[in-house]
Amino acid sequence: MATTRNQRPESHRPSQLPRHPTTAPAAVNSAQEVFFHIINNSTYHRAQIATELKQQGINPLATA
């Protein structure tokens, strides 16, 4: 299998990403779990900002 520069062969790509919490024991999250968390977190914070704007009397832009 040929690879181009800066690419790992499929067999060498990590399927698990290490997590380094400060107070809990070490855990491992899959790349899918990390991606899901990032998307959910950004959605949560967009909603927080929209709520704050509404409370200030500002009509937030649609994000959908």
Short mmCIF file of all heavy atoms in Angstrom, two decimals:
data_model
loop_
_atom_site.label_atom_id
_atom_site.label_comp_id
_atom_site.label_asym_id
_atom_site.label_seq_id
_atom_site.Cartn_x
_atom_site.Cartn_y
_atom_site.Cartn_z
N MET A 1 0.85 -1.18 0.00
CA MET A 1 0.00 0.00 0.00
C MET A 1 0.89 1.24 0.00
O MET A 1 1.75 1.41 0.84
CB MET A 1 -0.90 -0.03 1.24
CG MET A 1 -1.57 1.26 1.52
SD MET A 1 -2.82 1.24 2.85
CE MET A 1 -1.92 0.59 4.22
N ALA A 2 0.67 2.11 -0.95
CA ALA A 2 1.46 3.33 -1.06
C ALA A 2 0.84 4.43 -0.21
O ALA A 2 -0.38 4.55 -0.12
CB ALA A 2 1.53 3.79 -2.51
N THR A 3 1.72 5.20 0.42
CA THR A 3 1.23 6.35 1.19
C THR A 3 1.93 7.59 0.68
O THR A 3 3.04 7.52 0.16
CB THR A 3 1.50 6.20 2.69
OG1 THR A 3 2.91 6.05 2.89
CG2 THR A 3 0.77 5.02 3.27
N THR A 4 1.27 8.72 0.80
CA THR A 4 1.90 9.98 0.43
C THR A 4 2.51 10.60 1.67
O THR A 4 2.27 10.15 2.79
CB THR A 4 0.87 10.94 -0.20
OG1 THR A 4 -0.15 11.18 0.76
CG2 THR A 4 0.30 10.36 -1.47
N ARG A 5 3.27 11.61 1.48
CA ARG A 5 3.94 12.26 2.59
C ARG A 5 2.93 12.72 3.64
O ARG A 5 1.86 13.19 3.31
CB ARG A 5 4.70 13.47 2.05
CG ARG A 5 5.55 14.14 3.07
CD ARG A 5 6.33 15.23 2.43
NE ARG A 5 7.05 15.93 3.48
CZ ARG A 5 7.90 16.89 3.27
NH1 ARG A 5 8.16 17.27 2.05
NH2 ARG A 5 8.50 17.48 4.26
N ASN A 6 3.26 12.57 4.91
CA ASN A 6 2.45 12.97 6.06
C ASN A 6 1.19 12.13 6.22
O ASN A 6 0.27 12.56 6.88
CB ASN A 6 2.09 14.46 6.00
CG ASN A 6 3.30 15.35 6.11
OD1 ASN A 6 4.28 15.00 6.76
ND2 ASN A 6 3.25 16.48 5.47
N GLN A 7 1.12 10.98 5.60
CA GLN A 7 -0.02 10.10 5.79
C GLN A 7 0.47 8.81 6.40
O GLN A 7 1.50 8.28 6.02
CB GLN A 7 -0.72 9.78 4.47
CG GLN A 7 -1.57 10.89 3.95
CD GLN A 7 -2.36 10.42 2.75
OE1 GLN A 7 -1.95 9.52 2.04
NE2 GLN A 7 -3.49 11.05 2.52
N ARG A 8 -0.29 8.32 7.36
CA ARG A 8 0.01 7.03 7.96
C ARG A 8 -0.77 5.96 7.22
O ARG A 8 -1.90 6.19 6.81
CB ARG A 8 -0.42 7.00 9.42
CG ARG A 8 0.34 7.91 10.31
CD ARG A 8 -0.18 7.72 11.71
NE ARG A 8 0.46 8.65 12.62
CZ ARG A 8 0.10 8.80 13.86
NH1 ARG A 8 -0.90 8.11 14.36
NH2 ARG A 8 0.72 9.64 14.64
N PRO A 9 -0.18 4.77 7.08
CA PRO A 9 -0.98 3.68 6.53
C PRO A 9 -2.17 3.41 7.46
O PRO A 9 -2.11 3.67 8.65
CB PRO A 9 -0.02 2.49 6.53
CG PRO A 9 1.34 3.07 6.74
CD PRO A 9 1.17 4.40 7.39
N GLU A 10 -3.27 2.91 6.91
CA GLU A 10 -4.48 2.63 7.70
C GLU A 10 -4.16 1.86 8.96
O GLU A 10 -4.70 2.12 10.01
CB GLU A 10 -5.44 1.80 6.86
CG GLU A 10 -6.71 2.40 6.32
CD GLU A 10 -7.37 3.56 6.98
OE1 GLU A 10 -8.04 3.37 8.00
OE2 GLU A 10 -7.27 4.66 6.46
N SER A 11 -3.26 0.89 8.86
CA SER A 11 -2.97 0.03 10.00
C SER A 11 -2.27 0.78 11.14
O SER A 11 -2.22 0.30 12.26
CB SER A 11 -2.11 -1.15 9.56
OG SER A 11 -0.89 -0.67 9.02
N HIS A 12 -1.73 1.97 10.88
CA HIS A 12 -1.01 2.72 11.91
C HIS A 12 -1.80 3.91 12.45
O HIS A 12 -1.30 4.65 13.27
CB HIS A 12 0.33 3.21 11.37
CG HIS A 12 1.27 2.11 11.04
ND1 HIS A 12 1.84 1.29 11.99
CD2 HIS A 12 1.73 1.66 9.84
CE1 HIS A 12 2.61 0.40 11.40
NE2 HIS A 12 2.55 0.60 10.09
N ARG A 13 -3.01 4.10 11.96
CA ARG A 13 -3.82 5.22 12.46
C ARG A 13 -4.46 4.83 13.78
O ARG A 13 -5.03 3.76 13.91
CB ARG A 13 -4.90 5.58 11.46
CG ARG A 13 -4.31 6.22 10.22
CD ARG A 13 -5.36 6.77 9.33
NE ARG A 13 -4.70 7.31 8.15
CZ ARG A 13 -5.25 7.34 6.96
NH1 ARG A 13 -6.45 6.87 6.77
NH2 ARG A 13 -4.60 7.85 5.95
N PRO A 14 -4.39 5.71 14.78
CA PRO A 14 -4.99 5.36 16.07
C PRO A 14 -6.52 5.37 16.00
O PRO A 14 -7.11 6.26 15.42
CB PRO A 14 -4.49 6.46 17.00
CG PRO A 14 -4.20 7.61 16.10
CD PRO A 14 -3.77 7.01 14.77
N SER A 15 -7.13 4.35 16.55
CA SER A 15 -8.59 4.32 16.61
C SER A 15 -9.06 4.84 17.96
O SER A 15 -10.24 5.07 18.16
CB SER A 15 -9.10 2.90 16.39
OG SER A 15 -8.61 2.06 17.40
N GLN A 16 -8.16 5.00 18.90
CA GLN A 16 -8.49 5.51 20.22
C GLN A 16 -7.60 6.72 20.50
O GLN A 16 -6.41 6.70 20.19
CB GLN A 16 -8.22 4.44 21.30
CG GLN A 16 -9.01 3.17 21.10
CD GLN A 16 -10.44 3.32 21.58
OE1 GLN A 16 -10.66 3.81 22.66
NE2 GLN A 16 -11.38 2.92 20.77
N LEU A 17 -8.17 7.74 21.09
CA LEU A 17 -7.42 8.93 21.45
C LEU A 17 -7.26 8.98 22.97
O LEU A 17 -8.24 8.83 23.69
CB LEU A 17 -8.14 10.18 20.96
CG LEU A 17 -8.39 10.25 19.46
CD1 LEU A 17 -9.23 11.48 19.13
CD2 LEU A 17 -7.09 10.28 18.70
N PRO A 18 -6.05 9.18 23.48
CA PRO A 18 -5.87 9.21 24.94
C PRO A 18 -6.49 10.47 25.54
O PRO A 18 -6.52 11.51 24.91
CB PRO A 18 -4.36 9.21 25.11
CG PRO A 18 -3.84 9.78 23.84
CD PRO A 18 -4.81 9.39 22.77
N ARG A 19 -6.99 10.34 26.74
CA ARG A 19 -7.55 11.46 27.48
C ARG A 19 -6.77 11.56 28.77
O ARG A 19 -6.49 10.56 29.41
CB ARG A 19 -9.03 11.20 27.75
CG ARG A 19 -9.73 12.37 28.37
CD ARG A 19 -11.21 12.09 28.52
NE ARG A 19 -11.51 12.27 29.92
CZ ARG A 19 -12.27 11.49 30.64
NH1 ARG A 19 -12.81 10.43 30.12
NH2 ARG A 19 -12.48 11.74 31.90
N HIS A 20 -6.42 12.76 29.17
CA HIS A 20 -5.60 12.94 30.36
C HIS A 20 -6.32 13.81 31.38
O HIS A 20 -6.03 14.99 31.53
CB HIS A 20 -4.25 13.55 29.98
CG HIS A 20 -3.49 12.74 28.99
ND1 HIS A 20 -2.87 11.57 29.32
CD2 HIS A 20 -3.31 12.91 27.67
CE1 HIS A 20 -2.31 11.07 28.24
NE2 HIS A 20 -2.56 11.85 27.23
N PRO A 21 -7.31 13.25 32.08
CA PRO A 21 -8.00 14.03 33.10
C PRO A 21 -7.08 14.29 34.30
O PRO A 21 -6.12 13.56 34.52
CB PRO A 21 -9.17 13.14 33.49
CG PRO A 21 -8.72 11.76 33.17
CD PRO A 21 -7.78 11.88 31.99
N THR A 22 -7.40 15.31 35.05
CA THR A 22 -6.54 15.66 36.17
C THR A 22 -6.90 14.92 37.45
O THR A 22 -6.04 14.68 38.27
CB THR A 22 -6.61 17.18 36.44
OG1 THR A 22 -7.97 17.53 36.66
CG2 THR A 22 -6.06 17.96 35.26
N THR A 23 -8.16 14.55 37.63
CA THR A 23 -8.55 13.91 38.88
C THR A 23 -9.06 12.49 38.72
O THR A 23 -9.16 11.76 39.69
CB THR A 23 -9.66 14.73 39.58
OG1 THR A 23 -10.77 14.84 38.70
CG2 THR A 23 -9.16 16.11 39.96
N ALA A 24 -9.41 12.10 37.52
CA ALA A 24 -9.94 10.75 37.28
C ALA A 24 -8.84 9.86 36.71
O ALA A 24 -7.84 10.35 36.20
CB ALA A 24 -11.11 10.82 36.31
N PRO A 25 -9.02 8.56 36.82
CA PRO A 25 -8.03 7.68 36.21
C PRO A 25 -8.01 7.86 34.69
O PRO A 25 -8.98 8.32 34.10
CB PRO A 25 -8.51 6.28 36.58
CG PRO A 25 -9.84 6.42 37.19
CD PRO A 25 -10.08 7.86 37.49
N ALA A 26 -6.90 7.51 34.10
CA ALA A 26 -6.76 7.66 32.65
C ALA A 26 -7.86 6.90 31.93
O ALA A 26 -8.26 5.81 32.32
CB ALA A 26 -5.40 7.15 32.21
N ALA A 27 -8.39 7.50 30.88
CA ALA A 27 -9.44 6.89 30.08
C ALA A 27 -9.08 7.04 28.62
O ALA A 27 -8.24 7.85 28.25
CB ALA A 27 -10.78 7.56 30.36
N VAL A 28 -9.69 6.24 27.80
CA VAL A 28 -9.45 6.32 26.37
C VAL A 28 -10.79 6.50 25.67
O VAL A 28 -11.76 5.82 25.97
CB VAL A 28 -8.76 5.03 25.85
CG1 VAL A 28 -8.59 5.07 24.35
CG2 VAL A 28 -7.42 4.83 26.54
N ASN A 29 -10.84 7.48 24.77
CA ASN A 29 -12.05 7.75 24.01
C ASN A 29 -11.78 7.47 22.54
O ASN A 29 -10.69 7.76 22.05
CB ASN A 29 -12.47 9.22 24.16
CG ASN A 29 -12.88 9.54 25.56
OD1 ASN A 29 -12.04 9.89 26.38
ND2 ASN A 29 -14.14 9.43 25.85
N SER A 30 -12.78 6.94 21.87
CA SER A 30 -12.62 6.71 20.43
C SER A 30 -12.67 8.05 19.71
O SER A 30 -13.18 9.05 20.24
CB SER A 30 -13.72 5.79 19.91
OG SER A 30 -14.97 6.47 19.93
N ALA A 31 -12.14 8.07 18.50
CA ALA A 31 -12.18 9.29 17.70
C ALA A 31 -13.62 9.72 17.48
O ALA A 31 -13.94 10.91 17.49
CB ALA A 31 -11.47 9.07 16.37
N GLN A 32 -14.53 8.76 17.31
CA GLN A 32 -15.95 9.06 17.12
C GLN A 32 -16.52 9.76 18.36
O GLN A 32 -17.27 10.72 18.24
CB GLN A 32 -16.73 7.79 16.83
CG GLN A 32 -18.22 8.03 16.62
CD GLN A 32 -18.97 6.74 16.33
OE1 GLN A 32 -18.38 5.68 16.19
NE2 GLN A 32 -20.28 6.84 16.24
N GLU A 33 -16.16 9.29 19.55
CA GLU A 33 -16.65 9.90 20.79
C GLU A 33 -16.13 11.33 20.94
O GLU A 33 -16.87 12.22 21.37
CB GLU A 33 -16.23 9.07 22.00
CG GLU A 33 -16.94 7.75 22.10
CD GLU A 33 -16.35 6.85 23.17
OE1 GLU A 33 -15.11 6.83 23.35
OE2 GLU A 33 -17.14 6.15 23.82
N VAL A 34 -14.87 11.55 20.58
CA VAL A 34 -14.29 12.89 20.68
C VAL A 34 -14.99 13.84 19.71
O VAL A 34 -15.37 14.95 20.06
CB VAL A 34 -12.77 12.85 20.41
CG1 VAL A 34 -12.20 14.26 20.31
CG2 VAL A 34 -12.06 12.06 21.50
N PHE A 35 -15.19 13.38 18.46
CA PHE A 35 -15.87 14.20 17.46
C PHE A 35 -17.29 14.54 17.91
O PHE A 35 -17.74 15.68 17.81
CB PHE A 35 -15.88 13.46 16.12
CG PHE A 35 -16.50 14.26 15.01
CD1 PHE A 35 -15.86 15.37 14.48
CD2 PHE A 35 -17.72 13.89 14.49
CE1 PHE A 35 -16.43 16.10 13.46
CE2 PHE A 35 -18.31 14.63 13.47
CZ PHE A 35 -17.66 15.73 12.95
N PHE A 36 -18.02 13.55 18.42
CA PHE A 36 -19.38 13.76 18.90
C PHE A 36 -19.39 14.80 20.02
O PHE A 36 -20.25 15.69 20.06
CB PHE A 36 -19.96 12.43 19.39
CG PHE A 36 -21.40 12.51 19.80
CD1 PHE A 36 -22.41 12.57 18.86
CD2 PHE A 36 -21.75 12.51 21.14
CE1 PHE A 36 -23.75 12.64 19.24
CE2 PHE A 36 -23.07 12.58 21.53
CZ PHE A 36 -24.07 12.65 20.58
N HIS A 37 -18.44 14.72 20.93
CA HIS A 37 -18.35 15.67 22.04
C HIS A 37 -18.10 17.10 21.51
O HIS A 37 -18.72 18.06 21.98
CB HIS A 37 -17.24 15.28 23.01
CG HIS A 37 -16.99 16.32 24.05
ND1 HIS A 37 -17.82 16.50 25.14
CD2 HIS A 37 -16.02 17.27 24.16
CE1 HIS A 37 -17.37 17.50 25.86
NE2 HIS A 37 -16.28 17.99 25.29
N ILE A 38 -17.22 17.24 20.55
CA ILE A 38 -16.91 18.56 20.00
C ILE A 38 -18.15 19.19 19.38
O ILE A 38 -18.46 20.36 19.61
CB ILE A 38 -15.76 18.47 18.97
CG1 ILE A 38 -14.45 18.13 19.69
CG2 ILE A 38 -15.62 19.76 18.17
CD1 ILE A 38 -13.33 17.73 18.77
N ILE A 39 -18.88 18.40 18.58
CA ILE A 39 -20.09 18.92 17.94
C ILE A 39 -21.13 19.30 18.98
O ILE A 39 -21.73 20.39 18.92
CB ILE A 39 -20.66 17.89 16.95
CG1 ILE A 39 -19.66 17.60 15.83
CG2 ILE A 39 -22.00 18.35 16.38
CD1 ILE A 39 -19.23 18.80 15.03
N ASN A 40 -21.37 18.41 19.96
CA ASN A 40 -22.36 18.72 21.00
C ASN A 40 -21.96 19.93 21.81
O ASN A 40 -22.81 20.76 22.18
CB ASN A 40 -22.55 17.52 21.93
CG ASN A 40 -23.58 16.56 21.40
OD1 ASN A 40 -24.33 16.87 20.49
ND2 ASN A 40 -23.62 15.39 21.99
N ASN A 41 -20.68 20.07 22.12
CA ASN A 41 -20.22 21.19 22.93
C ASN A 41 -20.41 22.51 22.20
O ASN A 41 -20.86 23.50 22.79
CB ASN A 41 -18.75 20.98 23.32
CG ASN A 41 -18.31 21.92 24.41
OD1 ASN A 41 -19.04 22.16 25.35
ND2 ASN A 41 -17.10 22.44 24.28
N SER A 42 -20.10 22.53 20.91
CA SER A 42 -20.28 23.78 20.16
C SER A 42 -21.75 24.15 20.06
O SER A 42 -22.11 25.32 20.15
CB SER A 42 -19.64 23.67 18.77
OG SER A 42 -20.30 22.71 17.99
N THR A 43 -22.64 23.15 19.89
CA THR A 43 -24.08 23.40 19.85
C THR A 43 -24.56 23.98 21.17
O THR A 43 -25.33 24.95 21.21
CB THR A 43 -24.84 22.10 19.53
OG1 THR A 43 -24.37 21.60 18.29
CG2 THR A 43 -26.33 22.32 19.46
N TYR A 44 -24.09 23.41 22.26
CA TYR A 44 -24.46 23.88 23.60
C TYR A 44 -24.07 25.35 23.78
O TYR A 44 -24.87 26.16 24.25
CB TYR A 44 -23.77 23.00 24.64
CG TYR A 44 -23.95 23.46 26.06
CD1 TYR A 44 -25.14 23.21 26.74
CD2 TYR A 44 -22.94 24.15 26.72
CE1 TYR A 44 -25.31 23.63 28.05
CE2 TYR A 44 -23.11 24.57 28.03
CZ TYR A 44 -24.30 24.31 28.69
OH TYR A 44 -24.46 24.73 29.97
N HIS A 45 -22.85 25.69 23.40
CA HIS A 45 -22.38 27.07 23.61
C HIS A 45 -23.07 28.05 22.67
O HIS A 45 -23.32 29.20 23.06
CB HIS A 45 -20.86 27.14 23.50
CG HIS A 45 -20.18 26.53 24.69
ND1 HIS A 45 -20.29 27.04 25.95
CD2 HIS A 45 -19.43 25.41 24.80
CE1 HIS A 45 -19.62 26.28 26.80
NE2 HIS A 45 -19.10 25.28 26.12
N ARG A 46 -23.42 27.63 21.45
CA ARG A 46 -24.19 28.51 20.56
C ARG A 46 -25.54 28.84 21.20
O ARG A 46 -26.01 29.97 21.13
CB ARG A 46 -24.40 27.86 19.19
CG ARG A 46 -23.25 28.08 18.24
CD ARG A 46 -23.65 27.80 16.80
NE ARG A 46 -24.38 26.57 16.59
CZ ARG A 46 -23.83 25.40 16.31
NH1 ARG A 46 -22.54 25.29 16.20
NH2 ARG A 46 -24.60 24.34 16.12
N ALA A 47 -26.16 27.83 21.81
CA ALA A 47 -27.45 28.05 22.47
C ALA A 47 -27.29 28.98 23.67
O ALA A 47 -28.16 29.83 23.93
CB ALA A 47 -28.06 26.72 22.91
N GLN A 48 -26.20 28.84 24.41
CA GLN A 48 -25.94 29.75 25.54
C GLN A 48 -25.84 31.19 25.06
O GLN A 48 -26.40 32.11 25.67
CB GLN A 48 -24.63 29.38 26.25
CG GLN A 48 -24.72 28.25 27.21
CD GLN A 48 -23.40 28.07 27.94
OE1 GLN A 48 -22.34 28.06 27.32
NE2 GLN A 48 -23.47 27.93 29.24
N ILE A 49 -25.11 31.40 23.99
CA ILE A 49 -24.94 32.75 23.45
C ILE A 49 -26.27 33.30 22.96
O ILE A 49 -26.60 34.46 23.22
CB ILE A 49 -23.88 32.75 22.32
CG1 ILE A 49 -22.50 32.43 22.92
CG2 ILE A 49 -23.86 34.07 21.58
CD1 ILE A 49 -21.43 32.11 21.89
N ALA A 50 -27.04 32.48 22.25
CA ALA A 50 -28.35 32.92 21.75
C ALA A 50 -29.26 33.31 22.91
O ALA A 50 -29.97 34.33 22.85
CB ALA A 50 -29.00 31.82 20.92
N THR A 51 -29.25 32.54 23.99
CA THR A 51 -30.07 32.84 25.17
C THR A 51 -29.65 34.16 25.79
O THR A 51 -30.48 35.00 26.14
CB THR A 51 -29.97 31.71 26.20
OG1 THR A 51 -30.45 30.50 25.60
CG2 THR A 51 -30.77 32.01 27.45
N GLU A 52 -28.36 34.37 25.91
CA GLU A 52 -27.85 35.62 26.49
C GLU A 52 -28.24 36.82 25.63
O GLU A 52 -28.66 37.86 26.15
CB GLU A 52 -26.33 35.56 26.65
CG GLU A 52 -25.72 36.79 27.27
CD GLU A 52 -26.13 37.03 28.72
OE1 GLU A 52 -26.42 36.06 29.43
OE2 GLU A 52 -26.18 38.21 29.13
N LEU A 53 -28.13 36.67 24.32
CA LEU A 53 -28.54 37.76 23.43
C LEU A 53 -30.02 38.08 23.57
O LEU A 53 -30.41 39.25 23.63
CB LEU A 53 -28.21 37.41 21.98
CG LEU A 53 -26.72 37.40 21.61
CD1 LEU A 53 -26.52 36.83 20.22
CD2 LEU A 53 -26.12 38.78 21.73
N LYS A 54 -30.86 37.04 23.63
CA LYS A 54 -32.31 37.24 23.79
C LYS A 54 -32.61 37.97 25.09
O LYS A 54 -33.48 38.84 25.15
CB LYS A 54 -33.04 35.91 23.76
CG LYS A 54 -33.11 35.30 22.37
CD LYS A 54 -33.79 33.94 22.42
CE LYS A 54 -33.74 33.24 21.09
NZ LYS A 54 -34.34 31.89 21.15
N GLN A 55 -31.89 37.61 26.17
CA GLN A 55 -32.11 38.27 27.46
C GLN A 55 -31.71 39.74 27.41
O GLN A 55 -32.22 40.55 28.17
CB GLN A 55 -31.33 37.54 28.56
CG GLN A 55 -31.90 36.19 28.90
CD GLN A 55 -31.02 35.41 29.88
OE1 GLN A 55 -29.89 35.77 30.16
NE2 GLN A 55 -31.57 34.31 30.38
N GLN A 56 -30.80 40.08 26.51
CA GLN A 56 -30.36 41.48 26.35
C GLN A 56 -31.22 42.23 25.33
O GLN A 56 -30.93 43.37 25.01
CB GLN A 56 -28.89 41.51 25.92
CG GLN A 56 -27.94 40.89 26.91
CD GLN A 56 -27.90 41.61 28.23
OE1 GLN A 56 -27.95 42.85 28.28
NE2 GLN A 56 -27.82 40.87 29.32
N GLY A 57 -32.25 41.53 24.79
CA GLY A 57 -33.13 42.18 23.82
C GLY A 57 -32.60 42.18 22.41
O GLY A 57 -33.08 42.94 21.56
N ILE A 58 -31.63 41.36 22.14
CA ILE A 58 -31.05 41.28 20.79
C ILE A 58 -31.54 40.00 20.14
O ILE A 58 -31.52 38.93 20.74
CB ILE A 58 -29.51 41.27 20.88
CG1 ILE A 58 -29.01 42.54 21.57
CG2 ILE A 58 -28.89 41.12 19.49
CD1 ILE A 58 -27.54 42.51 21.95
N ASN A 59 -31.97 40.09 18.89
CA ASN A 59 -32.44 38.92 18.16
C ASN A 59 -31.22 38.21 17.55
O ASN A 59 -30.59 38.75 16.64
CB ASN A 59 -33.43 39.34 17.07
CG ASN A 59 -34.13 38.15 16.47
OD1 ASN A 59 -34.19 37.09 17.07
ND2 ASN A 59 -34.66 38.34 15.27
N PRO A 60 -30.87 37.01 18.02
CA PRO A 60 -29.69 36.33 17.50
C PRO A 60 -29.91 35.84 16.07
O PRO A 60 -31.04 35.62 15.64
CB PRO A 60 -29.50 35.15 18.45
CG PRO A 60 -30.83 34.90 19.04
CD PRO A 60 -31.52 36.24 19.07
N LEU A 61 -28.82 35.71 15.34
CA LEU A 61 -28.89 35.17 13.99
C LEU A 61 -29.25 33.70 14.03
O LEU A 61 -28.88 32.98 14.97
CB LEU A 61 -27.53 35.34 13.29
CG LEU A 61 -27.05 36.77 13.07
CD1 LEU A 61 -25.63 36.77 12.54
CD2 LEU A 61 -27.99 37.50 12.11
N ALA A 62 -29.92 33.22 13.01
CA ALA A 62 -30.23 31.80 12.90
C ALA A 62 -28.94 31.04 12.62
O ALA A 62 -28.11 31.48 11.82
CB ALA A 62 -31.24 31.58 11.79
N THR A 63 -28.77 29.91 13.30
CA THR A 63 -27.55 29.12 13.10
C THR A 63 -27.83 27.85 12.32
O THR A 63 -26.93 27.05 12.13
CB THR A 63 -26.91 28.75 14.45
OG1 THR A 63 -27.86 28.02 15.21
CG2 THR A 63 -26.50 29.99 15.22
N ALA A 64 -29.04 27.63 11.90
CA ALA A 64 -29.35 26.39 11.18
C ALA A 64 -29.36 26.62 9.69
O ALA A 64 -29.42 27.65 9.17
CB ALA A 64 -30.70 25.86 11.61
#
